[in-house]
């Protein structure tokens, strides 16, 4: 088709229309930018970060800071409601040194060495969360408090007999596990017993941490599979976030998928138990 078949007006766009189009475009663009900036304000970013923090870590930080504040108020009434964020490094280091040296439980008992160190880490988390430039774990200005903490840990171990982790858990022996099956606490005799037993096998073979993985486990994360000419097995396909597997770059990553094979004694049948749970849904 030649150009002669078209009038000039068909290829002509008035300057007014161009200006209006250009104005509308930039107005739309500016509105989007303003909306984006407003939606992603610093406050909302802080909320997003705080929501992703471990609930237990937040509780630990709050509890330890309350203990630090309580100690400061006890040694000097002027320190009541003191905000350590506004203290100079030298004064904060001095107060930390006294705290690490003297802190005890409310009943007067001495803390375990690891607990004293956890106080230090909680205070650092509080400082970091509130945008403080201090780092009591590394800064030269806080070397004295670190030395006091090291000396306190040594005293607790050598003179108070601390550091032996008296509340540490231990694994069940095979005899104890068999006893649970014999007395009916483990097995397939009922829904509650079946659920408890399945939890035990998953925690035992997949290395669950207390209740964390159990709460996060979703239907379909573990699947029943079979190798070629091999026994059936339960495979943990989708491992969700844990304390050591938190999505950070270069973080912990399993080199294999944990499995439970259909082997063992007649009563210890995790694969059969998983089938029973599937059938009951």
């Amino acid at each position: 088709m030649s150009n002669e078949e078209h009038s000039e007006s068909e290829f002509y766009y008035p300057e007014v229309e161009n200006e209006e189009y250009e104005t509308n475009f930039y107005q739309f663009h500016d509105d989007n930018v303003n909306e984006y900036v407003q939606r992603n304000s610093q406050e909302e970013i802080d909320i997003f970060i705080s929501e992703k923090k471990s609930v237990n870590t937040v509780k630990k930080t709050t509890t330890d800071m309350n203990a630090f504040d309580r100690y400061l108020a006890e040694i000097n009434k002027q320190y009541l409601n003191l905000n350590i964020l506004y203290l100079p490094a030298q004064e904060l280091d001095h107060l930390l040194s006294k705290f690490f040296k003297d802190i005890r439980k409310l009943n007067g008992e001495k803390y375990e060495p690891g607990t004293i160190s956890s106080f230090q880490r909680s205070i650092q988390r509080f400082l970091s969360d509130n945008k403080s430039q201090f780092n009591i774990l590394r800064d030269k200005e806080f070397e004295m408090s670190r030395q006091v903490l090291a000396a306190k840990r040594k005293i607790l171990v050598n003179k108070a007999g601390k550091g032996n982790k008296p509340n540490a858990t231990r694994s069940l022996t095979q005899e104890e596990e068999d006893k649970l099956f014999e007395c009916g606490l483990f097995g397939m005799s009922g829904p509650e017993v079946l659920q408890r037993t399945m939890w035990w096998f998953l925690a035992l073979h997949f290395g669950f941490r207390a209740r964390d993985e159990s709460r996060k486990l979703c239907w379909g994360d573990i699947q029943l599979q079979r190798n070629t000419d091999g026994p059936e097995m339960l495979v943990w396909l989708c491992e969700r976030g844990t304390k050591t597997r938190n999505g950070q770059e270069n973080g912990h990553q399993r080199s294999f998928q944990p499995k439970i094979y259909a082997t063992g004694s007649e009563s210890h049948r995790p694969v059969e138990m998983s089938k029973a749970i599937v059938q009951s849904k």
Side-chain angles (χ1 to χ4, degrees), residues 1-11:
M1 183 179 295
S2 65
N3 291 336
E4 296 178 354
E5 299 181 27
H6 299 276
S7 64
E8 293 182 358
S9 61
E10 291 183 69
F11 301 96

Side-chain angles (χ1 to χ4, degrees), residues 57-74:
T57 301
V58 173
K59 289 182 179 179
K60 170 65 173 171
T61 303
T62 302
T63 301
D64 289 354
M65 286 305 303
N66 289 339
F68 187 36
D69 292 338
R70 184 172 60 250
Y71 170 80
L72 295 178
E74 289 176 354

Side-chain angles (χ1 to χ4, degrees), residues 217-225 235-238 240 281:
L217 195 66
C218 296
W219 190 260
D221 288 354
I222 298 174
Q223 292 186 7
L224 178 64
Q225 296 183 3
V235 183
W236 192 7
L237 294 177
C238 181
R240 302 180 188 275
K281 285 187 66 66

Side-chain angles (χ1 to χ4, degrees), residues 153-165:
R153 288 179 58 97
K154 192 172 184 178
I155 292 173
L156 289 172
V157 172
N158 294 339
K159 295 186 177 181
K162 298 290 185 178
N164 295 313
K165 298 183 178 181

Side-chain angles (χ1 to χ4, degrees), residues 171-217:
S171 59
L172 290 180
T173 64
Q174 187 61 51
E175 292 75 14
E176 291 171 332
E177 182 180 340
D178 293 339
K179 186 66 176 179
L180 292 173
F181 278 96
E182 293 173 4
C183 67
L185 292 176
F186 281 176
M188 301 176 64
S189 58
E192 184 176 347
V193 175
L194 179 61
Q195 184 182 34
R196 182 191 303 123
T197 310
M198 200 65 229
W199 168 84
W200 164 253
F201 280 126
L202 295 180
L204 178 65
H205 293 281
F206 291 160
F208 281 4
R209 286 178 173 269
R211 298 167 295 176
D212 188 38
E213 283 88 345
S214 300
R215 289 195 300 264
K216 294 178 179 177
L217 195 66

Side-chain angles (χ1 to χ4, degrees), residues 114-163:
T115 304
I116 304 293
S117 295
S118 71
F119 278 120
Q120 182 192 41
R121 292 190 292 271
S122 292
I123 295 172
Q124 179 56 51
R125 280 196 300 270
F126 173 81
L127 294 172
S128 299
D129 290 344
N130 288 276
K131 308 297 189 297
S132 173
Q133 299 300 316
F134 293 154
N135 190 319
I136 64 176
L137 304 178
R138 292 195 297 266
D139 289 351
K140 184 178 180 180
E141 292 83 355
F142 298 94
E143 184 175 357
M144 182 175 67
S145 61
R146 292 196 295 270
Q147 292 177 352
V148 171
L149 175 58
K152 181 68 173 183
R153 288 179 58 97
K154 192 172 184 178
I155 292 173
L156 289 172
V157 172
N158 294 339
K159 295 186 177 181
K162 298 290 185 178

